[in-house]
């Protein structure tokens, strides 16, 4: 409650593919330090929403207001391409489902983590390498793998490397698209635990898209449930999952394997 | 009894579950629920299983949404109506005002027991060293041997996990504690330790709302017993 | 004697093509280091043999120009000789091997040791104009990176070198930042030559025929070779003198001298070497080694007829 203004204010946001809406009428605020899960089955519009929020897809209708690091609110749709890219360099991160989409597979682990620093003007090799090494340690990648290519890493290691690459510049807002769904269950648990602790240590705001309610339960504070492009239920994650109101949410919750 | 402002004031709460997967069947669990919990008292929810005792705890903690009514936590400017609050305010209330102790530990993989217990304190701004010290004291009182402290509780026995969870729930100093059968299946010695913890909390002015099936524990800790069945609508009544 | 039956326009290319290339050149000079697309034409040599440089030279050359062509610093290699002969026949220009006498120097892989002067033009043959290409294969994306001045990626390449070899291993086509703005590939010149590009009084033009790009560094423009604060750019150095002329401080090639693996290090710049050898202590006599050749009016366009 220290920060009294939302980082992201989304009002009536929608994206249309031709004549059909991918998502529509989405409203929410995201506050610093808050993790928002967007759940729903494939085709529900959750990935479209993520794309629209992250400026990868055009905002067809509505407003998305983002408060910049300097405190000024901006309408994302009105930003120039270079301003959006500046946000990506310094304030935003995106964790892809497939780490190969978010990493340079033929650049060493250290180079992958160091690249965002270099993009932000770091020009001291020793400090770049030291920072990269610290981040590898933080995401539990052995220090002696710093010069290895991610193509030689396991799936879980690649995903952890992708997370390090995203967090190394201390972003304020991170988008995650099914960050654990490509991984074995045991590896998932480890990764979720890592995400959970990094998010709380760094006070990140996160929008995480997942079809897995257990992921929402473990790492998110709040949940939006999407169906047919609309948010049909939202609230505190515990509340949405323990006392689902919408028929569809009840179906989702009842379909979870108990473990 | 302490007749100051209540730490928890529940008024005119209705709670119905609509089971869409069963043809939209509606299950009325609570109707016009009213009660208060004052600082320094332990209110025990009584009544048979299915009467809605757990529902009440979950409503207060914000896991369930009430159909109508008010669940006011705290007093004065810091008061918050959980039934109407936005998620952030509920989370803030959980952080600063109320704790929940259940018998089940949601295991965090790979985190050592000592850290699991100390974490809520650290999150609330206590220095990590001090938090670990206090966590260690509490684990000792609940007979978790030091050799286990550095291991993740996921590897513990059920009883040990339960006690780790109790320690985690009791450690932070919060004005209201919700106790969901914390003593179920504990041995006599540990049960006594928990009773002792509850009494200490009470003497420090903490308000508590709990469910205890164990008559002995209930007698030992309850200042009042609230008969939930008497508050509930007719069994199975459809609204 | 059939020379008059087939004639070429002066400079081989037609006037419209030359104008198109000159427009690209003007734009390139206006935006130092920026790659300007142009409609690269066929010229009578294979792509990859300097077609970009030849087209740039053809677009700017006039009959009063004196042309020098070098390949790896040498005036006497096949490619250099052929291109020199080509322009002597299609543009009727004088050619020379002397750096200081030339008005236009077309080069592959070297910058002459003799400092260039104001008024001279050096034309580089460029195989791969995009310095980010091997890091980012998408042309749309590299263009965007240039437009938004996002050059972190180039430093990733240097980082990888240091991580793997302990130093920046790139010794040719070493990336530079032109005018403090555009990242540029200097063509595969040795990094030894990089410092010569900085604030050079000559006009530097770059042509990539296969890749259809032209770019330029106007006279007296800053050209900074990239590096880290703790691993700054370091040009190659040669401690030994040239085995032929004894000059120091020049770029040396290793020449194999026998089947037993014997070798010696000699100047890569043949003009510089010859003149140093001829006048070890007397700079005034270097003019005697001039090998300026006048075009032979009796045999115009002979190459094209064959």
């Amino acid at each position: 409650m220290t920060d009294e203004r939302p980082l992201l204010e989304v009002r009536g946001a929608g994206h249309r593919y031709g004549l059909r809406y991918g998502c529509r009428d989405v409203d929410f605020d995201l506050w610093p330090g808050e993790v928002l899960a967007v759940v729903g089955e494939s085709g529900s519009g959750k990935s479209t929403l993520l794309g629209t929020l992250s400026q990868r897809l055009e905002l067809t209708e509505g407003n998305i207001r983002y408060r910049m690091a300097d405190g000024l609110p901006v309408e994302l749709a009105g930003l120039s391409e270079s301003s959006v890219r500046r946000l990506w360099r310094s304030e935003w991160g995106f964790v892809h489902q497939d780490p190969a989409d978010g990493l340079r597979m033929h650049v060493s682990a250290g180079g992958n983590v160091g690249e965002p620093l270099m993009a932000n003007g770091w020009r001291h090799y020793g400090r770049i390498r030291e920072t990269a090494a610290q981040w590898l340690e933080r995401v539990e990648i052995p220090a002696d793998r710093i010069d290895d290519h991610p193509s030689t890493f396991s799936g879980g290691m690649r995903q952890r490397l992708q997370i390090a690459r995203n967090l190394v510049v201390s972003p304020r807002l991170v988008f995650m698209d099914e960050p654990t769904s490509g991984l074995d269950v045991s590896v998932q648990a480890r990764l979720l635990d890592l995400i959970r602790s990094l998010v709380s240590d760094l006070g990140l705001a996160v929008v995480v898209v997942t079809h897995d309610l257990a992921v929402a339960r473990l790492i998110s504070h709040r949940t939006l449930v999407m169906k047919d492009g609309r948010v049909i239920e939202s609230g505190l994650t515990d509340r949405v999952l323990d006392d689902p109101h919408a028929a569809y949410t009840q179906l989702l919750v009842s379909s979870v394997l108990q473990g | 009894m302490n007749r100051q402002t209540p730490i928890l004031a529940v008024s005119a709460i209705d709670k119905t579950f609509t089971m869409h997967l069963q043809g939209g069947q509606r299950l009325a669990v609570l109707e016009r629920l009213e009660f208060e919990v004052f600082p320094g008292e332990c209110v025990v929810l009584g009544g048979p299983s299915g009467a809605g005792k757990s529902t009440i705890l979950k409503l207060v903690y914000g896991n369930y949404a009430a159909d109508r009514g008010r669940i006011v936590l705290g007093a004065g400017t810091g008061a918050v109506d959980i039934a109407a609050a936005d998620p952030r305010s509920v989370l803030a209330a959980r952080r600063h005002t109320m704790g929940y102790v259940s018998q089940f530990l949601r295991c965090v993989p790979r985190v050592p027991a000592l850290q699991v217990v100390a974490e809520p304190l650290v999150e609330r701004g206590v220095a990590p060293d001090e938090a670990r010290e206090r966590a260690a004291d509490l684990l000792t009182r609940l007979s978790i041997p030091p050799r286990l402290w550095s291991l993740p509780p996921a590897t513990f026995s059920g009883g040990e996990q339960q006690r780790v969870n109790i320690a985690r729930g009791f450690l932070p100093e919060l004005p209201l504690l919700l106790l969901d059968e914390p003593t179920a299946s504990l041995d006599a010695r540990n049960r006594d330790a928990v009773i002792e913890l509850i009494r200490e909390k009470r003497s420090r002015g903490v308000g508590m709302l709990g469910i205890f099936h164990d008559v002995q524990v209930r007698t030992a800790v309850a200042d009042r017993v609230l008969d939930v069945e008497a508050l509930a609508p007719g069994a199975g009544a459809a609204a | 004697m059939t020379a008059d039956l087939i004639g070429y326009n002066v400079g081989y290319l037609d006037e419209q093509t030359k104008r198109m290339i000159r427009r690209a050149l003007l734009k390139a000079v206006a935006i130092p280091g920026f790659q300007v697309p142009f409609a690269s034409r066929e010229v009578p040599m294979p792509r990859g043999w300097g077609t970009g440089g030849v087209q740039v030279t053809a677009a700017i050359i006039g009959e009063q120009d004196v042309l020098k062509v070098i390949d790896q610093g040498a005036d006497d290699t096949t490619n250099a000789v052929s291109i020199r002969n080509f322009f002597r026949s299609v543009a009727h220009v004088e050619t020379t091997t002397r750096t200081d006498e030339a008005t236009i120097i077309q080069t592959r892989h070297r910058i002459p040791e003799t400092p260039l002067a104001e008024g001279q033009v050096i034309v580089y043959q460029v195989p791969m104009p995009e310095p980010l290409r091997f890091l980012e294969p998408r042309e749309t994306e590299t263009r965007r990176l240039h437009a938004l001045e996002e050059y972190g990626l180039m430093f990733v390449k240097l980082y990888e070198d240091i991580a793997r070899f302990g130093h920046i291993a790139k010794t040719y086509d070493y990336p530079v930042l032109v005018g403090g703005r555009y990242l540029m590939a200097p063509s595969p010149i040795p990094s030894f030559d990089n410092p010569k590009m900085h604030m050079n009084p000559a006009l530097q033009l770059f042509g990539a025929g296969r890749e259809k790009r032209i770019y330029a560094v106007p006279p007296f423009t800053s050209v900074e070779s990239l590096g880290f604060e703790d691993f700054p750019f370091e040009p190659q150095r040669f401690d030994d003198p040239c085995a032929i002329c004894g000059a120091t401080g020049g770029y040396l090639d290793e020449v194999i001298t026998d089947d037993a693996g014997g070798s010696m290090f000699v100047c890569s710049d043949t003009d510089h070497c010859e003149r140093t050898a001829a006048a070890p202590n007397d700079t005034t006599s270097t003019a005697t080694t001039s090998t300026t050749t006048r075009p032979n009016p009796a045999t115009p366009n002979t190459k094209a007829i064959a």
Side-chain angles (χ1 to χ4, degrees):
Chain A
M1 299 292 269
T2 48
D3 213 331
E4 286 306 327
R5 281 178 304 170
L7 195 61
L8 206 57
E9 292 170 75
V10 181
R11 295 289 175 273
H15 175 79
R16 205 172 54 213
Y17 298 104
L19 293 173
R20 208 180 57 75
Y21 277 92
C23 67
R24 199 167 189 192
D25 295 333
V26 179
D27 294 310
F28 69 88
D29 288 340
L30 183 70
W31 301 75
E34 194 175 41
V35 179
L36 176 74
V38 181
V39 302
E41 59 196 1
S42 51
S44 61
K46 56 190 197 300
S47 295
T48 303
L49 176 61
L50 193 71
T52 309
L53 295 175
S54 62
Q55 296 291 293
R56 298 163 154 248
L57 293 174
E58 186 204 355
L59 181 70
T60 320
E61 56 185 35
N63 301 292
I64 303 174
R65 179 176 293 195
Y66 171 73
R67 190 157 51 78
M68 311 268 278
D70 58 14
L72 291 177
V74 290
E75 289 289 340
L76 287 185
L79 287 183
S80 66
E81 187 188 358
S82 65
S83 305
V84 172
R85 287 182 77 115
R86 193 173 316 122
L87 284 177
W88 281 120
R89 273 207 304 275
S90 52
E91 297 191 23
W92 291 1
F94 198 109
V95 176
H96 295 262
Q97 176 175 359
D98 181 353
D101 293 339
L103 292 173
R104 293 187 193 282
M105 297 305 279
H106 300 290
V107 167
S108 70
N112 266 291
V113 179
E115 182 180 349
L117 299 174
M118 294 182 243
N120 277 305
W122 286 44
R123 294 292 179 263
H124 190 285
Y125 173 84
R127 281 197 284 274
I128 292 165
R129 193 168 171 84
E130 192 187 321
T131 307
Q134 285 164 3
W135 269 95
L136 292 182
E137 190 192 333
R138 234 172 142 169
V139 299
E140 300 164 17
I141 293 174
D144 61 0
R145 302 300 301 271
I146 190 168
D147 293 328
D148 293 346
H149 290 185
S151 51
T152 67
F153 285 8
S154 69
M157 268 174 89
R158 288 180 191 182
Q159 199 56 294
R160 296 201 299 278
L161 182 64
Q162 192 190 184
I163 286 168
R165 176 177 159 97
N166 270 282
L167 299 189
V168 66
V169 291
S170 308
R172 305 169 68 226
L173 173 59
V174 176
F175 301 96
M176 298 186 183
D177 187 5
E178 304 273 11
T180 59
S181 61
L183 305 173
D184 292 346
V185 175
S186 61
V187 179
Q188 276 189 16
R190 182 177 180 190
L191 186 70
L192 284 171
D193 179 42
L194 179 74
I195 292 175
R196 206 182 60 98
S197 64
L198 288 174
V199 161
S200 80
D201 289 354
L202 303 171
L204 293 176
V206 177
V207 179
V208 55
V209 158
T210 177
H211 67 280
D212 186 344
L213 297 186
V215 171
R217 166 89 77 182
L218 197 59
I219 64 175
S220 76
H221 300 114
R222 247 180 341 128
T223 295
L224 303 183
V225 182
M226 292 195 74
K227 183 173 193 293
D228 300 332
R230 292 175 191 264
V231 175
I232 54 159
E233 183 158 0
S234 70
L236 198 65
T237 297
D238 288 353
R239 211 280 296 150
V240 171
L241 300 183
D242 290 347
D243 185 13
H245 285 199
Y248 177 70
T249 316
Q250 290 185 358
L251 179 67
L252 276 184
V253 170
S254 68
S255 316
V256 173
L257 296 171
Q258 299 295 323
Chain B
M1 185 136 328
N2 193 344
R3 281 291 142 195
Q4 42 189 209
T5 353
I7 178 69
L8 174 67
V10 174
S11 57
I13 284 291
D14 290 358
K15 177 60 187 170
T16 312
F17 290 101
T18 306
M19 328 286 262
H20 292 285
L21 303 182
Q22 276 128 51
Q25 187 190 341
R26 287 166 62 94
L27 189 65
V29 177
L30 299 169
E31 207 173 288
R32 309 293 304 166
L33 179 70
E34 304 255 2
F35 69 90
E36 291 176 333
V37 176
F38 289 88
E41 72 166 342
C42 179
V43 176
V44 173
L45 299 169
S49 296
K53 300 188 298 291
S54 284
T55 302
I56 293 172
L57 288 190
K58 287 178 171 166
L59 280 166
V60 173
Y61 201 57
N63 285 35
Y64 285 180
D67 304 344
R68 62 189 64 81
R70 287 161 58 79
I71 301 171
V72 178
L73 202 60
T77 50
V80 52
D81 178 4
I82 295 295
D86 61 33
R88 290 183 77 227
S89 307
V90 176
L91 290 173
R94 288 179 181 181
R95 197 181 181 86
H96 302 295
T97 316
M98 61 177 166
Y100 192 103
V101 186
S102 79
Q103 53 183 311
F104 303 109
L105 175 66
R106 180 133 52 86
C107 279
V108 185
R110 302 186 306 135
V111 179
L114 191 65
Q115 199 183 324
V116 168
V117 176
E119 212 169 45
L121 280 187
V122 177
E123 279 170 10
R124 288 170 176 83
V126 176
D129 284 349
E130 191 198 331
R132 272 196 294 277
E133 219 166 277
R134 285 163 61 183
D137 286 348
L138 202 48
L139 285 172
T140 308
R141 285 183 66 179
L142 290 164
S143 13
I144 302 284
R147 65 183 165 80
L148 294 180
W149 295 355
S150 59
L151 302 174
T155 60
F156 294 6
S157 74
E160 285 162 345
Q161 287 193 16
Q162 188 182 349
R163 280 176 277 143
V164 168
N165 200 38
I166 290 168
R168 181 178 160 93
F170 272 90
L171 196 53
E173 297 291 339
L174 297 167
L176 178 68
L177 270 186
L178 307 175
L179 308 170
D180 189 354
E181 301 207 47
T183 54
S185 73
L186 286 186
D187 61 25
R189 178 173 154 217
N190 284 308
R191 200 174 52 208
D192 291 345
V194 174
I195 291 172
E196 191 52 37
L197 285 173
I198 292 173
R199 285 182 173 151
E200 282 170 25
K201 286 279 180 193
R202 191 166 54 187
S203 70
R204 282 203 290 273
V206 174
M208 280 167 285
L209 179 65
I211 303 171
F212 298 93
H213 281 140
D214 184 323
V215 180
Q216 204 187 331
V217 180
R218 195 191 311 177
T219 321
V221 300
D223 291 306
R224 283 192 288 142
V225 175
L226 208 62
D227 186 354
V228 175
E229 207 172 17
L231 302 166
Chain C
M1 55 192 217
T2 54
D4 290 334
L5 295 180
I6 301 175
Y8 284 101
N9 191 36
V10 174
Y12 183 76
L13 297 174
D14 64 275
E15 289 304 309
Q16 288 304 321
T17 297
K18 285 199 262 181
R19 288 177 66 186
M20 175 271 291
I21 293 173
R22 285 173 198 149
R23 278 197 295 272
L25 285 168
L26 285 173
K27 187 168 178 181
V29 169
I31 316 170
F34 173 73
Q35 299 166 48
V36 183
F38 80 111
S40 182
R41 296 290 197 256
E42 295 293 334
V43 288
M45 65 183 68
R47 292 256 157 101
W49 288 61
T51 57
V54 162
Q55 290 179 81
V56 169
T57 300
I60 61 169
I61 203 162
E63 296 193 4
Q64 73 289 355
D65 275 313
V66 180
L67 179 69
K68 168 182 166 81
V69 181
I70 51 173
D71 179 354
Q72 302 275 17
D75 294 273
D76 53 3
T77 55
T78 312
N79 205 23
V81 170
S82 302
I83 294 173
R84 207 159 53 227
N85 287 342
F86 174 70
F87 280 111
R88 201 159 57 224
S89 57
V90 300
H92 320 299
V93 293
E94 268 185 57
T95 59
T96 180
T97 58
R98 288 200 42 163
T99 300
D100 54 356
E101 283 179 1
T103 57
I104 299 173
I105 301 161
Q106 181 171 331
T107 176
R108 171 176 176 264
H109 297 193
R110 277 308 312 276
I111 298 174
E113 306 292 2
T114 309
L116 302 179
E118 230 170 307
Q120 286 185 306
V121 180
I122 178 164
V123 177
Y124 297 79
Q125 300 170 195
V126 181
M128 175 47 68
E130 178 50 72
L132 299 168
R133 175 63 67 241
F134 293 106
L135 303 156
E136 175 52 69
R138 292 166 294 178
E139 172 74 14
T140 48
E141 183 64 14
T142 54
R143 272 197 235 179
R144 195 169 281 135
L145 294 177
H146 283 295
L148 300 171
E149 210 177 337
E150 289 183 8
Y151 294 141
L153 198 52
M154 196 69 243
F155 286 90
V156 172
K157 162 73 180 119
L158 303 181
Y159 169 95
E160 292 286 283
D161 266 13
I162 301 171
R164 197 170 320 146
F165 307 113
H167 59 95
I168 299 175
K170 201 156 175 61
T171 53
Y172 66 93
D173 208 1
Y174 190 101
V176 294
L177 194 68
V178 177
R181 175 59 182 84
Y182 280 96
L183 179 68
M184 189 186 90
S187 86
I189 59 170
S191 65
F192 174 90
D193 283 340
N194 270 30
K196 296 177 188 164
M197 307 182 86
H198 179 63
M199 297 309 251
N200 196 308
L203 172 62
Q204 306 177 67
L205 303 177
F206 299 78
R210 187 191 58 206
E211 300 291 323
K212 304 178 174 60
R213 292 290 183 278
I214 279 171
Y215 49 100
V217 176
F220 303 108
T221 301
S222 103
V223 178
E224 177 203 344
S225 303
L226 302 185
F228 289 103
E229 289 157 24
D230 47 345
F231 284 85
F233 166 71
E234 283 190 19
Q236 295 151 286
R237 285 182 49 213
F238 298 90
D239 296 327
D240 296 328
C242 168
I244 295 173
C245 71
T248 52
Y251 187 80
L252 303 183
D253 284 337
E254 185 177 14
V255 178
I256 305 294
T257 49
D258 55 39
D259 289 345
S263 69
M264 62 179 189
F265 284 88
V266 300
C267 282
S268 128
D269 185 335
T270 51
D271 167 55
H272 176 74
C273 192
E274 281 168 21
R275 287 156 62 194
T276 312
N281 296 312
D282 181 5
T283 50
T284 56
S285 65
T286 52
T288 56
T289 62
S290 171
T291 51
T292 300
T293 317
R294 300 209 64 84
N296 185 347
T299 58
N301 306 335
T302 44
K303 223 179 144 56
I305 296 162

